[in-house]
Amino acid sequence: MIYTHINLDEHFGNNGFGYKDGRTPANFTALGSSYPIDQLPDTSLVYVNDIPFLFPSLEAPYNNVESFNQEIEINPSSQPYTHVFVLGAADNGYFNETFLLANNDRALPIKIGLSDWLSNNACFGESIAFRCDGMCTNRGQFVESLKPTIWFQSIPLNESVNIDKILFPDNPCIHIFAITLGGAA
């Protein structure tokens, strides 16, 4: 399989990575809870289930896309895609939303389901990409009884498609850290 990493940096608008002592404000949730920065990969290229992803910088002010109807442009490729791979999580519940893979001719709807970041179990067939030992609060507390997870989701497409953009739904409870597209070799 040939992989295409989607650079989401310019679309990041939420900071989900914080410090245990609360020294930097993070707001993965509306209450300021976050993933502990020291338990996440400190490298831009990560592999999850042998799929390469561009992982957000830990020191950047923002590190995930909160889904608000964004249109993510993709460099056109002559290679049709057969899979969409996502690193993400939901806050405040479990969500299975419709994203659109589009080009000038059409838009292909796909469902991307992401379980709650604090859930121990996946609801949509995801697997664990990263699970932390606790959750940071905006008051400088580290809650070890809650184990935040970034989920890995693999979506096989019903057909091979050429796309030049991904259209996100309007659901700010869905957070996307990385997307990789896969196509036949």
Side-chain angles (χ1 to χ4, degrees):
M1 186 168 288
I2 297 173
Y3 299 106
T4 301
H5 311 106
I6 307 305
N7 186 338
L8 297 174
D9 289 352
E10 70 182 65
H11 301 282
F12 289 155
N14 177 273
N15 180 16
F17 304 158
Y19 289 91
K20 292 178 185 176
D21 61 10
R23 67 182 141 172
T24 56
N27 63 335
F28 185 76
T29 67
L31 299 175
S33 302
S34 62
Y35 294 88
I37 200 167
D38 64 334
Q39 294 185 21
L40 296 169
D42 189 16
T43 181
S44 62
L45 184 63
V46 298
Y47 286 83
V48 177
N49 295 345
D50 295 324
I51 308 298
F53 290 93
L54 290 179
F55 198 73
S57 167
L58 298 181
E59 298 302 324
Y62 302 111
N63 44 47
N64 68 87
V65 178
E66 225 173 4
S67 184
F68 280 120
N69 291 318
Q70 293 92 337
E71 183 175 303
I72 311 293
E73 292 194 21
I74 298 167
N75 291 332
S77 169
S78 59
Q79 178 71 36
Y81 299 110
T82 59
H83 288 79
V84 177
F85 304 102
V86 173
L87 297 182
D91 78 87
N92 236 357
Y94 304 80
F95 297 95
N96 192 21
E97 294 284 352
T98 301
F99 288 67
L100 296 175
L101 305 179
N103 60 32
N104 290 333
D105 299 324
R106 60 182 267 199
L108 176 69
I110 62 165
K111 289 291 214 176
I112 297 179
L114 291 170
S115 296
D116 192 86
W117 75 306
L118 297 177
S119 177
N120 290 324
N121 301 307
C123 285
F124 303 107
E126 312 100 311
S127 62
I128 296 169
F130 307 104
R131 178 161 283 159
C132 301
D133 293 335
M135 178 193 77
C136 298
T137 72
N138 63 353
R139 295 183 302 264
Q141 298 170 321
F142 187 68
V143 182
E144 292 181 13
S145 60
L146 299 172
K147 312 286 189 210
T149 301
I150 295 176
W151 299 101
F152 167 83
Q153 181 61 279
S154 172
I155 302 101
L157 304 179
N158 293 330
E159 57 186 284
S160 298
V161 295
N162 288 311
I163 64 171
D164 57 19
K165 62 186 152 225
I166 300 174
L167 305 168
F168 280 50
D170 184 13
N171 184 343
C173 292
I174 290 186
H175 300 260
I176 305 292
F177 295 95
I179 297 174
T180 295
L181 302 174

